[in-house]
Amino acid sequence: MADLLPRGARPSPRAGTVAADPRAGDVERCLRRVGTPVDRGLPILAIDLPGCGHSQTPPRAYGVPEMVDGIIAWLDQIGVDRVNLLGHSLGGQIVVRLAARYPERVRKAVVVSCPPDPAAPRAWQAALRLASDALMEPTQVIRQATFDYLRSTPRLMWRTWKKALRTGVEDAAHSVSAPTLVVRGTWDPVVTGPWARELSDLIPNSELVEIERGTHGLPLQSPEKLAAATVKFLKS
């Protein structure tokens, strides 16, 4: 389980918010831009998921439940009991399932661009949506994502992605008791409006924010808008 404890995370005794991102390396870059205004009043712990960014490459693809257990083990290791959670894409799935299984550990949750959309349950369908999204992302996002995916090995990332698609979040969403903010971009073809609204409806105490002209890669494509929505919610 050691490879589930991210090396890229930065523990702090004041930590109030844990942020996880699925794409290798995106966590650090995202939090430099999104986390700066958040960090002024809400200190952040940034987690690189297994095989991503600065974390160790695992011997196999982990499923979402295993990643949840890894994050809880890491929080126990650094002595942090209760946090706000922010997760993007695969990280959003992790946030939903962690909040459902460990409600006592979560103050508030922010779920950003959370797949899988039930309208695209197969890996090839989701891949086509991601390809469509890539046409709208800034060049910097594509360049960084390509470099990081290659570094983490495409086979590992593909298998992790397929496991995540099979897991879903519908069965866990209704068990989330923490106040939750669901966020999507209006231009996101991966997480459609109907699915984001359904997810928000499934979580008992939640609200939905749609960021105008936002793509699936909101943390890098629309960092200021995402940060504003996040700060407003967490400080409310």
Side-chain angles (χ1 to χ4, degrees), residues 129-209:
R129 290 189 176 194
L130 276 174
S132 175
D133 177 74
L135 298 175
M136 297 181 287
E137 296 286 1
T139 303
Q140 177 192 16
V141 175
I142 303 303
R143 183 172 61 249
Q144 291 174 345
T146 300
F147 176 81
D148 289 334
Y149 276 131
L150 291 174
R151 172 196 173 277
S152 299
T153 74
R155 175 180 292 185
L156 176 65
M157 300 303 291
W158 176 252
R159 289 179 175 175
T160 300
W161 188 29
K162 289 181 71 173
K163 282 193 172 186
L165 288 173
R166 289 195 296 267
T167 302
V169 294
E170 297 99 316
D171 61 321
H174 70 278
S175 298
V176 176
S177 58
T180 302
L181 178 67
V182 177
V183 186
R184 76 171 287 266
T186 58
W187 285 0
D188 185 353
V190 180
V191 178
T192 62
W195 164 236
R197 288 188 286 274
E198 180 182 348
L199 177 59
S200 182
D201 289 342
L202 287 171
I203 299 173
N205 185 13
S206 72
E207 59 183 277
L208 172 65
V209 168

Side-chain angles (χ1 to χ4, degrees), residues 8-228:
R10 294 197 175 103
S12 163
R14 301 187 304 121
T17 303
V18 169
D21 192 289
R23 288 177 175 173
D26 274 6
V27 168
E28 296 297 333
R29 287 186 289 268
C30 163
L31 291 178
R32 281 195 211 103
R33 300 175 66 180
V34 180
T36 298
V38 179
D39 194 45
R40 291 171 186 163
L42 299 166
I44 288 175
L45 295 173
I47 294 180
D48 285 342
L49 299 180
C52 300
H54 299 293
S55 70
Q56 297 173 341
T57 299
R60 59 180 176 82
Y62 289 122
V64 172
E66 292 174 292
M67 293 190 190
V68 167
D69 289 339
I71 291 174
I72 290 296
W74 177 69
L75 289 174
D76 289 342
Q77 185 184 66
I78 64 174
V80 175
D81 295 324
R82 200 159 180 257
V83 295
N84 299 314
L85 287 175
L86 185 154
H88 168 245
S89 198
L90 171 57
Q93 287 183 255
I94 293 170
V95 165
V96 171
R97 291 203 165 269
L98 192 154
R101 284 181 57 191
Y102 300 95
E104 73 282 0
R105 307 297 295 267
V106 183
R107 293 193 189 98
K108 291 185 175 183
V110 180
V111 180
V112 183
S113 308
C114 180
D117 190 327
R122 297 183 179 276
W124 67 267
Q125 293 173 313
L128 286 177
R129 290 189 176 194
L130 276 174
S132 175
D133 177 74
L135 298 175
M136 297 181 287
E137 296 286 1
T139 303
Q140 177 192 16
V141 175
I142 303 303
R143 183 172 61 249
Q144 291 174 345
T146 300
F147 176 81
D148 289 334
Y149 276 131
L150 291 174
R151 172 196 173 277
S152 299
T153 74
R155 175 180 292 185
L156 176 65
M157 300 303 291
W158 176 252
R159 289 179 175 175
T160 300
W161 188 29
K162 289 181 71 173
K163 282 193 172 186
L165 288 173
R166 289 195 296 267
T167 302
V169 294
E170 297 99 316
D171 61 321
H174 70 278
S175 298
V176 176
S177 58
T180 302
L181 178 67
V182 177
V183 186
R184 76 171 287 266
T186 58
W187 285 0
D188 185 353
V190 180
V191 178
T192 62
W195 164 236
R197 288 188 286 274
E198 180 182 348
L199 177 59
S200 182
D201 289 342
L202 287 171
I203 299 173
N205 185 13
S206 72
E207 59 183 277
L208 172 65
V209 168
E210 294 191 89
I211 294 178
E212 288 296 323
R213 299 185 179 184
T215 62
H216 188 68
L218 281 175
L220 292 179
Q221 188 257 351
S222 299
E224 292 81 10
K225 293 178 181 179
L226 177 58

